Amino acid sequence: MMKTYGIVFFLIILSCKPDTSKTSEYFDIGIIADCQFCDCPNNSVRYYRNSTKRLQEAVTVFNSKALKYVIHLGDFIDRDFASFDSVLPIWNTIKSDKKHVLGNHDFSVVDSLKPLVPMKLGLSKRYYSFKIHNWRFIVLDGNDLSKHGAISREKRTETDSLYNLLVKDSLPNLKPWNGGLSRTQLHWVKSELNEALHNNEWVGFYCHFPVARDPDMHNIWNYSQFLELIADYKNVKFYFNGHNHDGDYLEQNGVHFLTFKGMVDTSDSSAFSIVRMTKDSIIVKGYGRETSRGLKIK
């Protein structure tokens, strides 16, 4: 697999090729997964207090580049609402636009403060989309239905209903630290996909939880329902996530499913990426533990 940053893959895209004639040749974005800071002792694999230093290292690199945006793929903290105040001042020095995905650990705070988490991260909505050139980026909330992040009574009821429905299948991902997509969110995703198709846009998904491997203990609860939903949309080109700190990659039906490695797992290096979006490729430049790779857009 190609690992050299800046390589352009010359492809003939046979279907679902948006009109890019009026867009720039490429644009770059920054990606971090699982910063997961807390002021607490390290364990055998996670170096919680080191995350401020690792985040600062990433921000320094990001600020030396011309990036369209930087996105964190969830678990900005490990626990305790006060932890946000140690990492947000560093995060807020990023010069480019900044995005957050909600992770399960972001809701590892006292119940009374859970509703404040999205606002603390600068989010007016828990799931949302935005567009750059011919791309529509869809940010999912995998904690929409969950034991930790479902805030309203309605969402808690739907959480219990989904969880109990799936128990009979003995799925390995039915863990309390995972979550699911609500009916409302799935309906919204379908409307976003239809609009993107109508506008001749490519689609990339961001979520904290993976969906692609079957079975996988890290998957979002109703991953099969999500995969069925996107199967008919050939304009979906990638799904990027965190949660599994070891990282992972596979391609299915022309969609690149990439799990980015956790920043918190690094003792003497870091883990973050700069991703270049070109007309026919997604080129990942990995720093520290993160792998560099070139992904062809088919």
Side-chain angles (χ1 to χ4, degrees):
M1 180 171 291
M2 292 290 191
K3 294 186 177 182
T4 304
Y5 185 52
I7 291 178
V8 177
F9 299 92
F10 297 97
L11 306 173
I12 298 175
I13 300 175
L14 299 179
S15 62
C16 191
K17 181 178 179 180
D19 179 10
T20 58
S21 59
K22 297 182 180 180
T23 67
S24 61
E25 291 295 321
Y26 64 86
F27 60 92
D28 294 339
I29 60 180
I31 295 182
I32 304 172
D34 299 272
C35 174
Q36 212 161 319
F37 170 82
C38 78
D39 186 12
C40 48
N42 301 333
N43 62 27
S44 59
V45 294
R46 295 183 182 174
Y47 303 85
Y48 300 108
R49 291 191 177 109
N50 288 13
S51 286
T52 49
K53 180 179 180 180
R54 302 306 169 217
L55 181 61
Q56 182 61 66
E57 292 169 353
V59 169
T60 299
V61 172
F62 293 155
N63 283 344
S64 71
K65 311 292 184 181
L67 305 180
K68 285 294 186 181
Y69 63 90
V70 175
I71 189 164
H72 186 276
L73 298 178
D75 285 1
F76 202 43
I77 63 168
D78 183 77
R79 70 197 85 159
D80 303 327
F81 197 81
S83 295
F84 287 119
D85 293 330
S86 293
V87 283
L88 279 173
I90 302 170
W91 175 260
N92 288 336
T93 64
I94 294 174
K95 296 177 181 179
S96 65
D97 195 10
K98 298 175 284 294
K99 313 286 185 183
H100 271 287
V101 179
L102 292 168
N104 52 302
H105 278 279
D106 294 321
F107 290 99
S108 294
V109 302
V110 297
D111 288 349
S112 62
L113 296 177
K114 289 180 187 291
L116 303 182
V117 169
M119 185 185 305
K120 188 71 172 177
L121 292 173
L123 298 176
S124 59
K125 297 179 180 179
R126 289 180 50 152
Y127 52 88
Y128 57 98
S129 70
F130 58 99
K131 295 186 287 184
I132 296 177
H133 297 324
N134 61 301
W135 280 94
R136 180 178 298 242
F137 300 102
I138 300 177
V139 180
L140 302 175
D141 176 19
N143 311 276
D144 196 11
L145 304 182
S146 62
K147 303 292 186 181
H148 49 270
I151 306 301
S152 69
R153 178 178 298 180
E154 178 185 6
K155 288 295 178 67
R156 291 195 297 269
T157 299
E158 190 177 349
T159 293
D160 292 339
S161 176
L162 175 63
Y163 190 89
N164 294 334
L165 177 66
L166 296 174
V167 162
K168 60 181 176 59
D169 297 324
S170 300
L171 299 175
N173 61 313
L174 286 181
K175 308 292 186 183
W177 55 82
N178 294 333
L181 304 173
S182 66
R183 291 186 295 268
T184 300
Q185 186 172 176
L186 288 168
H187 179 76
W188 171 81
V189 169
K190 185 174 180 62
S191 67
E192 287 283 318
L193 290 172
N194 285 335
E195 186 174 340
L197 199 63
H198 176 76
N199 293 338
N200 204 25
E201 297 165 343
W202 284 341
V203 172
F205 281 97
Y206 295 117
C207 188
H208 181 60
F209 306 90
V211 294
R213 291 203 180 274
D214 188 9
D216 189 304
M217 67 178 293
H218 299 94
N219 278 355
I220 207 165
W221 289 343
N222 52 345
Y223 66 94
S224 60
Q225 188 177 9
F226 173 79
L227 292 175
E228 289 174 6
L229 173 60
I230 69 171
D232 292 333
Y233 293 89
K234 303 307 179 186
N235 55 335
V236 176
K237 300 303 177 183
F238 74 79
Y239 181 104
F240 289 171
N241 63 275
H243 195 49
N244 179 357
H245 294 201
D246 291 334
D248 192 20
Y249 170 75
L250 71 159
E251 179 186 350
Q252 291 179 349
N253 301 319
V255 181
H256 298 286
F257 294 91
L258 177 55
T259 299
F260 288 82
K261 296 180 180 180
M263 175 174 279
V264 72
D265 297 62
T266 54
S267 61
D268 56 0
S269 64
S270 195
F272 61 94
S273 302
I274 291 179
V275 176
R276 174 160 292 186
M277 316 294 292
T278 79
K279 290 184 177 182
D280 51 17
S281 308
I282 301 170
I283 304 167
V284 180
K285 166 60 178 176
Y287 291 78
R289 292 173 56 247
E290 191 55 70
T291 303
S292 296
R293 62 184 86 225
L295 310 175
K296 297 180 181 180
I297 297 176
K298 299 178 180 179

